[in-house]
Structures are given as structure tokens and as C-alpha cells.
Amino acid sequence: MCGIIGITSSKPVSSSILHSLKKLEYRGYDSAGIATIDNGIINEIKSLGRVDVLEKNISQINLSGEVGIGHVRWATHGIPSTINAHPHSNENISVVHNGIIENSVILKKSLINKGHKFKSETDTEVIVHLLSEYLKSNELNNAIIKTLNDLDGSFALGIIFKDMPNIIVGARRGSPLAVGYGPNENYLGSDSYALKSMTNKITYLNDGEFCIIKKDEINFYDYMGNKVNKKILQLSTNEQNYEKGEYKHFMAKEINEQPLTIKNCVNEYIDKINNEINLHNFPWKKENIKSIKLIGCGTAFHSCLIGKYWFEELTNIDVDIDIASEFRYRKNRFKEDCLYIFVSQSGETADTYAALDLCKKNKMKTCSIVNVVESSIARDSDFVLPIHCGPEIGVASTKAFLGQMMVIYLLCLKISYLKNNIKKSDYNKKIKNLDLLSEKVKKTIFDENQIQTISNTFSKAKGSMFLGRGFSFPIALEGALKLKELAYIHAEGYPAGEMKHGPLALIEDGMPVVVVAPKDQYYKKTISNMQEVIARGAKVLLVTNKDDDQIVSENIWKKIEIDTVEKDLYPFLTTLPLQQLAYYTALKKGFDIDKPRNLAKSVTVE
Ligand code: F6R
């Protein structure tokens, strides 16, 4: 989603801003722009489409200036266009914004009445005019405080001023904002990833704070204008791999990295000498956790759903799940002895963050399962369990899903053991079984030609269904989500047993249907449901075990075979061919796999 970068330096900044905007491309966007201050003038240049287009446009002019802001926009208010792209400027001020200003219509009306002229359809432009208005009669800090007070909604802002050509103002409410310290220059960024190529010394604005950044000094303030001291964090300098390497797409690379994700999690959390799951400094006593609530969005929500099945299977504590965007606005009954767990790859998803914030305000115990450990969700939860899968750049989550499932599974096993819900021998066996999982995952990533013929058929389909029971139901939902978002094919994930209650009416001759049926306790029931869709003309792709000999296979269109593992662990295998199916179907259709239309990697608006 939208991304912000700001640099104040003693040398020209436009090429570093462009470089950082390229780092932010993974978030998903439709237009980009830069503004710098040079010789008492704000120079603004914006383009529809990729940062490459902006770069080309900039190369035709000499965009100098030692203070500047840049932005990649994901449209919310107003169509993707050059005029709606950020920055938004008048002759005095230029603003970049992530988030949504909910009262922009009312503010705009009153500003127009005062004679302000608007150029774009965006909500952001009101900030330019509002701040200009307050600056007429207030010094900078007061003008900022008054402007921020007038805004409803969420924002991360970067602002530069013609008359104060050595500063950048940053402000945050809801949307994350990082500040970086460099040699004779300082930075503002919507995430630390954008700043990493320039510095590893960063800090973050808390909600309601703003900052004034000069090249050699940064000051932070709370919403009332009181100075705030900040701790500077040193980011790890571990070389993270942000390149595609030999792969055509990040998604292909990330699918292939999944054996490593499992290995990293196992190495990180399992003490092999004592055959024990180590949750390093888990802050609560087992008696104080009587229930669990797992909360996330999209793919992360699917890992929560699998978590529900595991917790029910392996513990006797109550477990509940929620979609963050629903949870945050419901009348929740908060329970002191519940552990609220927030699952998120990016750690910046606005709804998940808001759900966490709500729990914190109600003094609940909060734990996050995240990939980006410097993220807002990680920073603001009481306890963090990282998934250790490295940067995930493809918009469609793959290896993070496996990592999330792995950490949820380990947490579930540990709680089960601590609560005496599992025998020590079974606990030991389940931990031992994880030793082989990485290898099994590797064997379940198929060659291109094994999936390609299947995806050729899917690429011609108008719609499709994904069916499963038990642990395979969330996998069916996830398979359908992947096909929708990458190949733009309507796909429904359904509990196989629910088909008769309505969706069976959708089945028609030749419709491709994926049935996820590993040999677990649900196998026979799912196979019966499969026969019902075959009888109505569906072309079934069955994902099941290699040694599956019980099935009359003539009426099954295709079969994908996986290894036999302990029944809890099938989700780690069955999801892999579904990721590949979506990938190759999208490839066949010629779509932009790493950046599907309308989507963003980091969903920082609700
Ligand atoms: C789908 C996908 C999304 C994310 C969702 C939550 O492939 O990636 O559904 O899972 O937007 O994002 P995070 O995990 O960053 O909170």
C-alpha cells in the first residue's frame, strides 16, 4: 500500500528518494511522485504507473534539492492518476500521506469557503491547505498540532516547506512511520525496509506523535507539543535476501524457500538437546491462560483457523478466532484469562493493529506472530513470536503462511504440554516428527511440468471450488484465495460437508474442483463429498496421499500426491500444490504475479 520516504541532507536527494521508492514497490501501488525544495521553490514531479516511469520523467529534468519527500500511492480517494498521485503541494507546502482522512469532505468545504483551490480528488490535499491556513497565524509546532487535531482517520505524513527549506515534518496516527539517522543526513520512511539501504539506526513514531527532522538533528513531540525522547534502535545488519536470483518471480522464490522456513522455525524454537519447545521469556503463567483468541486478516486469518483446529485437538482450553476488521468494531467480551494472539506477516496491517490496540486499551494479554520484527504490531504487543522466514516480497503470502502455521503449532504444543493435555511421550514424538518436515515440504514442491497441464485447464475456467474438511478446510480457503488474487478466477473455498446446503448448485459440467483430502480422520467423509461433485460433472483435482489405493480413480480428473505425515502436519504439505496451482495459472494468463491488480503487500488502511 502507499509508501513514504523523506530525506534531508547536505547533498541532492532525488536519486536516493527514487532508490528508496523502488524498495517500497513491493507494497503495491499505482502512481509515484517526488517533491524537493530548491532555490526557494517546491519542485514536484509525479507519474502514473511504476517508479521506472517517474525515474524516466525525472531524468529529463534536473531535479535538485537537498530536502525532499517521495511517495508511492495506492488509490483510496480518487482514481489512480497523475493529478491524484502524491505529493500534493501548493506554493508553500508539499505533503505525502498514507492512510485515510475520514472528514476530508467537511474540511474541504470549509477551506474552499476560505478561498482555497483544490487540484485533486484526494483526501490528502486538505492537509496542505489546512496547514497553510494555520501557518498564517501560528508558529510551526502550533500549526502542526492544530492541523493534526482537525483530522479524523489515520495517517502517516511527510511534509516539506518552501520557507523552511531544511526540515521535514513527520506525523503519525494509526499508520506506521519510521525515522532514520544517517551521516550528515536523516530520513523518514513508512517502514524500516525503505530506510535499510541508507541506515540501520532507526526509531519509530508512536501514535499521536510528530517530529521535525533536520540533516543533523531530530526532535520528537507528543500530540500536545511536549518534547519526547526516543530510543534509537540498531537494526540487524544480517544480509537479508531481497533479490529474485534465478527465479522469474519473488513468489516462485518464496514458494521454494518454504523448506527453509520450516527449518528456521524448528531450529529457532526447538531445543534439540532436551527435545523441548523453547518460547524464550514467555511472560505468563499457564494458570493465567484459560482461553486463546487468534486474530488476523486474509491468509494470516487462515493460519488462525488452522490454529483453532490444532488447539481444539491438542489442548482442552477454549479457542476462538476472529477476522481483525470484524473484531475491532464488535462489542467484545474481553476476558482477563484469555491470551489474544495477532497474526501478521507485515506486522503493519491496519485492522490487525487496531484489534491489538483495542485489546491493549482493555488491558488484555497480547502476543503477536509476525515476520517483520520491527513492525508496529510486534513493537506494541506484550510478547512476540517471529516466524523467521526472511523478507516476503510477493504480494501473495506463501512462506509467511507456513511460518505462521509453524509458530502457532509450536505454541499450541507447548501450551498443551504445560497444561498436561498431552502425554510427555506424545509431546516428544510430535516434536521429533518436526525434524523431517522440512524435507517433506521440499518433496511437495513439484516441477513445473507436473502442475502446468492442470493449470492450463484452470486458466480457461470461469470459476472453481476448493473443498476440504477439518485441517483441510482452511487450506481449501487459502487455495481459493490464492487462485482469486493471482489468476483473477472466481474461486470458493468451502467445507466439503456444506456443499449440499447450497453451493452444489454451482457445479456444472467440466468445472474444476480441488478436493483436499489427506489421509486423516476426515478422509472418508471428504471422499464421499468428492463423489457427489463428480456425479454432477465436476473435474476433480484430488490432493491426497501417495499410498492412496482405496479410491476408484477413473472418475478423478487429476491427482496430486503428497507424502504421509502425522495427521496434524498435513496443512504444511497440502497448501503447497495449491500455491503452485495459482502461480502457474496466473503465469499462463500472463498476469503480474508479484503485484496482482488492486492489491497491496502491506495493507495500512482499513
Ligand atoms: C494473501 C495475502 C493477504 C494477507 C493479509 C494480511 O495472499 O497475502 O491476504 O495475508 O493482507 O497481511 P499481514 O499478514 O501482513 O497482516
Side-chain angles (χ1 to χ4, degrees):
M1 217 150 251
C2 305
I4 287 176
I5 187 80
I7 306 178
T8 164
S9 176
S10 48
K11 51 183 201 280
V13 291
S14 65
S15 65
S16 301
I17 292 179
L18 269 175
H19 181 77
S20 301
L21 287 181
K22 285 188 181 165
K23 296 262 165 211
L24 289 170
E25 284 191 295
Y26 80 97
R27 293 165 73 102
Y29 69 103
D30 43 59
S31 53
I34 289 190
T36 61
I37 297 179
D38 193 28
N39 274 329
I41 297 174
I42 293 176
N43 298 303
E44 177 198 277
I45 177 151
K46 317 199 270 196
S47 316
L48 184 61
R50 297 274 179 242
V51 176
D52 284 348
V53 182
L54 180 71
E55 188 170 26
K56 224 181 192 169
N57 293 343
I58 286 177
S59 70
Q60 285 157 16
I61 56 163
N62 181 18
L63 188 64
S64 44
E66 294 171 358
V67 170
I69 48 179
H71 191 262
V72 284
R73 173 177 188 249
W74 186 85
T76 56
H77 286 54
I79 56 163
S81 68
T82 308
I83 207 106
N84 288 336
H86 299 210
H88 290 282
S89 316
N90 60 15
E91 65 279 13
N92 296 318
I93 296 175
S94 186
V95 174
V96 287
H97 165 218
N98 289 358
I100 293 178
I101 305 303
E102 289 169 356
N103 56 341
S104 62
V105 175
I106 302 168
L107 292 172
K108 193 170 173 175
K109 248 190 205 157
S110 95
L111 287 159
I112 288 173
N113 288 341
K114 287 183 182 145
H116 290 263
K117 298 232 169 349
F118 283 76
K119 295 180 254 183
S120 74
E121 302 161 287
T122 64
D123 51 342
T124 304
E125 208 182 341
V126 295
I127 303 167
V128 178
H129 296 280
L130 201 57
L131 186 53
S132 297
E133 193 62 33
Y134 280 126
L135 277 170
K136 286 181 189 165
S137 51
N138 291 276
E139 50 81 38
L140 180 66
N141 285 31
N142 272 343
I144 296 169
I145 293 166
K146 287 186 170 160
T147 304
L148 301 183
N149 260 339
D150 283 357
L151 304 177
D152 287 346
S154 65
F155 50 79
L157 302 174
I159 311 170
I160 54 175
F161 305 82
K162 183 195 81 176
D163 297 333
M164 292 171 266
N166 59 341
I167 65 163
I168 302 176
V169 167
R172 173 193 171 175
R173 190 194 299 155
S175 304
L177 201 56
V179 170
Y181 297 77
N184 216 14
E185 56 183 28
N186 289 317
Y187 321 97
L188 184 71
S190 43
D191 62 28
S192 57
Y193 177 54
L195 303 182
K196 256 183 181 166
S197 61
M198 300 183 285
T199 183
N200 65 344
K201 281 197 208 130
I202 60 153
T203 192
Y204 293 94
L205 264 72
N206 290 333
D207 241 22
E209 291 178 349
F210 68 94
C211 63
I212 299 180
I213 308 174
K214 297 181 182 162
K215 66 174 187 245
D216 47 9
E217 184 185 359
I218 309 179
N219 286 302
F220 296 90
Y221 305 89
D222 68 12
Y223 70 101
M224 287 165 64
N226 302 312
K227 265 204 169 184
V228 176
N229 288 325
K230 288 272 167 190
K231 214 165 124 194
I232 301 176
L233 310 167
Q234 194 94 16
L235 295 183
S236 95
T237 44
N238 275 355
E239 254 332 290
Q240 300 260 39
N241 189 354
Y242 295 112
E243 304 302 326
K244 274 202 289 256
E246 70 201 78
Y247 296 96
K248 260 198 196 131
H249 300 99
F250 279 108
M251 184 178 175
K253 176 175 176 247
E254 287 156 9
I255 286 175
N256 280 282
E257 282 172 347
Q258 292 179 105
L260 190 63
T261 301
I262 297 296
K263 205 182 234 167
N264 287 348
C265 278
V266 168
N267 288 344
E268 205 60 42
Y269 287 105
I270 293 179
D271 166 354
K272 291 209 169 139
I273 300 171
N274 299 308
N275 203 49
E276 182 58 274
I277 297 167
N278 204 342
L279 295 181
H280 316 283
N281 307 324
F282 190 71
W284 303 285
K285 288 191 180 136
K286 61 180 181 191
E287 311 77 68
N288 296 338
I289 299 178
K290 301 225 166 82
S291 61
I292 299 271
K293 179 127 183 157
L294 293 146
I295 299 170
C297 300
T299 291
F301 172 71
H302 295 156
S303 62
C304 297
L305 184 51
I306 294 182
K308 180 174 165 71
Y309 283 90
W310 280 325
F311 271 100
E312 282 176 353
E313 187 79 14
L314 298 169
T315 73
N316 62 9
I317 60 179
D318 286 342
V319 54
D320 194 6
I321 52 169
D322 229 314
I323 292 174
S325 56
E326 290 297 313
F327 175 84
R328 65 181 288 192
Y329 291 116
R330 270 215 319 274
K331 199 170 161 197
N332 293 291
R333 313 279 187 272
F334 288 103
K335 288 189 266 166
E336 253 177 43
D337 52 10
C338 178
L339 174 59
Y340 292 81
I341 303 174
F342 301 86
V343 184
S344 173
Q345 186 286 130
S346 62
E348 300 294 356
T349 300
D351 284 319
T352 313
Y353 182 81
L356 164 69
D357 195 44
L358 186 65
C359 289
K360 283 185 65 97
K361 285 186 176 131
N362 283 280
K363 302 197 166 33
M364 295 296 109
K365 302 178 182 70
T366 59
C367 165
S368 60
I369 295 177
V370 293
N371 192 28
V372 183
V373 287
E374 302 99 12
S375 61
S376 307
I377 291 176
R379 289 198 314 275
D380 289 351
S381 44
D382 299 330
F383 184 62
V384 185
L385 292 167
I387 62 175
H388 300 291
C389 73
E392 188 181 68
I393 309 291
V395 162
S397 195
T398 50
K399 61 177 181 175
F401 180 55
L402 241 72
Q404 289 159 359
M405 287 199 291
M406 192 69 222
V407 172
I408 293 173
Y409 183 67
L410 291 170
L411 179 65
C412 170
L413 269 186
K414 182 75 184 188
I415 290 181
S416 168
Y417 178 61
L418 291 175
K419 294 242 173 211
N420 292 326
N421 297 149
I422 189 172
K423 284 197 280 191
K424 173 82 172 136
S425 56
D426 288 343
Y427 178 65
N428 286 344
K429 200 166 130 221
K430 283 184 190 292
I431 293 176
K432 266 262 153 274
N433 283 340
L434 294 173
D435 278 351
L436 296 175
L437 189 60
S438 167
E439 242 349 270
K440 299 263 184 195
V441 165
K442 195 168 175 186
K443 275 174 75 183
T444 317
I445 299 170
F446 297 97
D447 288 344
E448 190 168 336
N449 52 18
Q450 286 171 278
I451 304 285
Q452 223 169 29
T453 39
I454 302 172
S455 55
N456 283 351
T457 298
F458 272 81
S459 69
K460 293 179 206 120
K462 284 204 306 273
S464 140
M465 301 215 58
F466 288 68
L467 309 179
R469 280 174 177 254
F471 303 122
S472 301
F473 164 50
I475 296 298
L477 289 178
E478 175 59 9
L481 177 63
K482 287 285 161 291
L483 194 70
K484 275 186 265 215
E485 68 178 327
L486 293 166
Y488 315 152
I489 295 171
H490 181 77
E492 291 248 22
Y494 242 86
E498 269 288 294
M499 287 299 282
K500 289 188 208 64
H501 303 287
L504 204 54
L506 290 172
I507 304 291
E508 52 187 44
D509 224 22
M511 181 191 212
V513 173
V514 179
V515 177
V516 186
K519 281 204 167 160
D520 56 17
Q521 62 270 49
Y522 307 96
Y523 172 75
K524 285 191 181 145
K525 300 283 175 204
T526 314
I527 294 302
S528 303
N529 298 136
M530 176 189 78
Q531 296 299 359
E532 289 158 5
V533 294
I534 291 176
R536 281 149 187 93
K539 253 178 153 169
V540 162
L541 166 65
L542 176 65
V543 179
T544 191
N545 297 55
K546 264 196 193 93
D547 59 353
D548 169 22
D549 42 13
Q550 294 176 15
I551 296 177
V552 190
S553 49
E554 301 90 71
N555 54 10
I556 293 167
W557 170 55
K558 296 276 179 205
K559 212 159 138 184
I560 287 180
E561 296 181 328
I562 58 168
D563 271 7
T564 297
V565 287
E566 187 193 357
K567 64 180 170 43
D568 307 343
L569 302 182
Y570 278 118
F572 294 101
L573 303 191
T574 49
T575 195
L576 302 165
L578 307 194
Q579 294 171 348
Q580 287 191 291
L581 172 65
Y583 176 82
Y584 286 113
T585 308
L587 192 66
K588 175 84 188 159
K589 294 180 89 173
F591 294 149
D592 191 348
I593 290 182
D594 285 332
K595 299 186 191 90
R597 70 181 178 205
N598 306 335
L599 299 181
K601 183 70 184 159
S602 192
V603 184
T604 48
V605 292
E606 63 171 298

